[in-house]
Amino acid sequence: MMKIMTPAHNLYIHVPFCISKCNYCAFFSHPCRTPDWDAYASAICDEIKSWRERLGQIVIPTVFFGGGTPSLMPTQTFGQIMTCIAQNFDIAPGAEITLESNPGTLDAARLREFMAHGINRLSVGVQSLNDDTLRFLGRRHTAADALTLIDTAHKMGLRTSGDFIYGIPDQTADDVTRMCRQINAVGLRHCSMYELTIEPDTPFGKMNLAMPSNDTMADMYTAIGETLALPRYEVSNYAALPDQCRHNANIWAGDAYIGLGRGAAGRVVIDGIWHDQMGAGLRCAPMTSHDRAVEKIITGMRTMRGVQLTDDVRAALDWDAVTTCTDAVTLRPDGFLAPTAKGILILDNLLVKLIR
């Protein structure tokens, strides 16, 4: 019987601790000033060893520490986890190792120590370059703090990304244009531009906020594309090819990934079968071919590249819709179905039409 080769798996490691919850945050995170980092590292390493027993010494193309606020982690804790990964898996040469961070939690010395343990990409939660907006969002840093961290990371040669939020009450498309010009002046080569969404179990969810209209939001989204000095490569992400986030791009392309830690999700291939997985051993359930194909369509169509038309994807598409939505999708000669500029603006409604 032919042995089924296990593909490479990216790693997402969830760090659930933060100093305080922001007003919009619905992620799994705990405000905690003195986390038990030893217990956390031990639990993550136990998960790593468990997956080594199950999958073997797989190749790891990317590692992404998300949160929460991973930059609160002691550098020795980070080093302990990276050492465990290296001992149990095969970290690919040139692997992308990303650390999410908040301004005010890193100085040059700590950043240098993180780099010594392997990080080569820093994601900075800027959110805004306006101090009043930062206070409204519940952030604990200033615009100056964010600019200092970005400048420090750039001087150290780190690939650096900034996260920003738009669609705030009373914000206009002109405000977003000004924000994009500020971002251009900072010199970031990767930006994530997220629309503010109001989740029920958050402080914002308990307020009666007057949010911008759908038309205003569309104008803001268009303003970003027209003003930001970076090409859009995914619905909310902007960068030229060398600076794109390889971890996220791999996942959007349908590659396998393991979620480690409570609050993490993964898509793991075990003996050739895709599994819906959650960290801390909370779930690992086989997926049907159709369900997996639908996920590939949803994630692939978020990108400018689109989704590759493999046999399973073709079977999950409504081809009558594909042939009638010619202004929203395009069939590329390289075998990908991709959204047009209009398709990106109506993506949620478009996906409902495209998927069987």
Side-chain angles (χ1 to χ4, degrees):
M1 182 176 179
M2 183 178 295
K3 183 179 179 181
I4 298 175
M5 296 296 292
T6 302
H9 281 63
N10 303 274
L11 292 184
Y12 173 79
I13 301 172
H14 193 69
V15 184
F17 309 113
C18 52
I19 295 174
S20 62
K21 293 278 279 188
C22 298
N23 291 333
Y24 54 86
C25 181
F27 291 118
F28 179 80
S29 62
H30 300 298
C32 184
R33 290 193 172 275
T34 55
D36 188 339
W37 289 109
D38 289 340
Y40 171 78
S42 178
I44 294 295
C45 289
D46 285 347
E47 285 190 67
I48 291 168
K49 294 168 188 174
S50 176
W51 283 112
R52 163 61 189 265
E53 291 175 3
R54 198 160 189 181
L55 300 178
Q57 192 173 351
I58 52 174
V59 174
I60 306 297
T62 70
V63 182
F64 194 106
F65 287 80
T69 309
S71 54
L72 290 174
M73 191 187 316
T75 55
Q76 60 266 33
T77 302
F78 180 85
Q80 180 182 345
I81 293 170
M82 287 301 302
T83 297
C84 187
I85 294 170
Q87 289 172 342
N88 287 276
F89 299 133
D90 182 8
I91 300 177
E96 178 187 85
I97 315 293
T98 300
L99 181 78
E100 283 191 343
S101 66
N102 278 341
T105 64
L106 284 177
D107 57 16
R110 271 174 48 77
L111 192 52
R112 195 172 293 111
E113 290 173 8
F114 275 115
M115 291 177 67
H117 287 300
I119 79 156
N120 49 33
R121 184 175 182 273
L122 187 72
S123 178
V124 181
V126 182
Q127 313 313 354
S128 176
L129 292 170
N130 180 290
D131 286 341
D132 289 337
T133 301
L134 290 171
R135 281 190 289 272
F136 171 74
L137 293 171
R139 303 293 287 176
R140 296 178 64 90
H141 66 85
T142 65
D145 294 333
L147 293 172
T148 296
L149 178 54
I150 292 168
D151 182 61
T152 299
H154 281 165
K155 287 177 178 176
M156 291 185 174
L158 272 175
R159 294 173 58 212
T160 307
S161 174
D163 288 358
F164 295 86
I165 292 177
Y166 70 97
I168 294 160
D170 298 323
Q171 195 174 43
T172 67
D174 287 343
D175 293 330
V176 171
T177 296
R178 282 190 287 273
M179 178 174 70
C180 289
R181 288 174 179 157
Q182 287 179 294
I183 295 169
N184 292 342
V186 173
L188 284 168
R189 298 179 66 174
H190 187 289
C191 284
S192 298
M193 309 293 291
Y194 296 119
E195 176 184 335
L196 177 63
T197 55
I198 306 301
E199 302 290 348
D201 295 325
T202 64
F204 278 169
K206 297 166 185 172
M207 303 177 192
N208 187 23
L209 296 175
M211 301 300 292
S213 68
N214 289 339
D215 286 345
T216 300
M217 290 303 305
D219 290 343
M220 291 180 184
Y221 191 74
T222 301
I224 294 170
E226 291 176 347
T227 312
L228 200 63
L230 297 167
R232 179 184 291 127
Y233 73 100
E234 189 266 350
V235 168
S236 302
N237 286 272
Y238 300 75
L241 182 60
D243 297 298
Q244 292 177 8
C245 176
R246 284 164 42 200
H247 177 85
N248 287 339
N250 288 351
I251 291 169
W252 295 324
D255 292 356
Y257 62 106
I258 303 170
L260 301 174
R262 193 174 179 87
R267 292 295 180 266
V268 181
V269 181
I270 303 171
D271 296 329
I273 298 172
W274 284 88
H275 287 67
D276 171 12
Q277 177 261 331
M278 291 194 71
L282 292 182
R283 183 168 70 234
C284 188
M287 301 177 68
T288 67
S289 175
H290 175 76
D291 287 346
R292 180 59 193 153
V294 167
E295 278 197 344
K296 285 162 61 176
I297 295 168
I298 292 170
T299 58
M301 288 295 288
R302 289 180 59 89
T303 69
M304 303 304 103
R305 184 187 186 202
V307 59
Q308 187 174 14
L309 292 171
T310 52
D311 290 343
D312 58 335
V313 167
R314 287 180 178 275
L317 286 167
D318 183 330
W319 283 92
D320 288 338
V322 171
T323 55
T324 56
C325 294
T326 53
D327 60 341
V329 298
T330 181
L331 284 166
R332 297 203 340 226
D334 59 356
F336 282 74
L337 178 71
T340 63
K342 177 183 177 181
I344 283 291
L345 283 173
I346 59 168
L347 187 59
D348 289 345
N349 290 332
L350 177 63
L351 289 170
V352 171
K353 294 178 181 178
L354 292 180
I355 295 169
R356 286 185 184 278

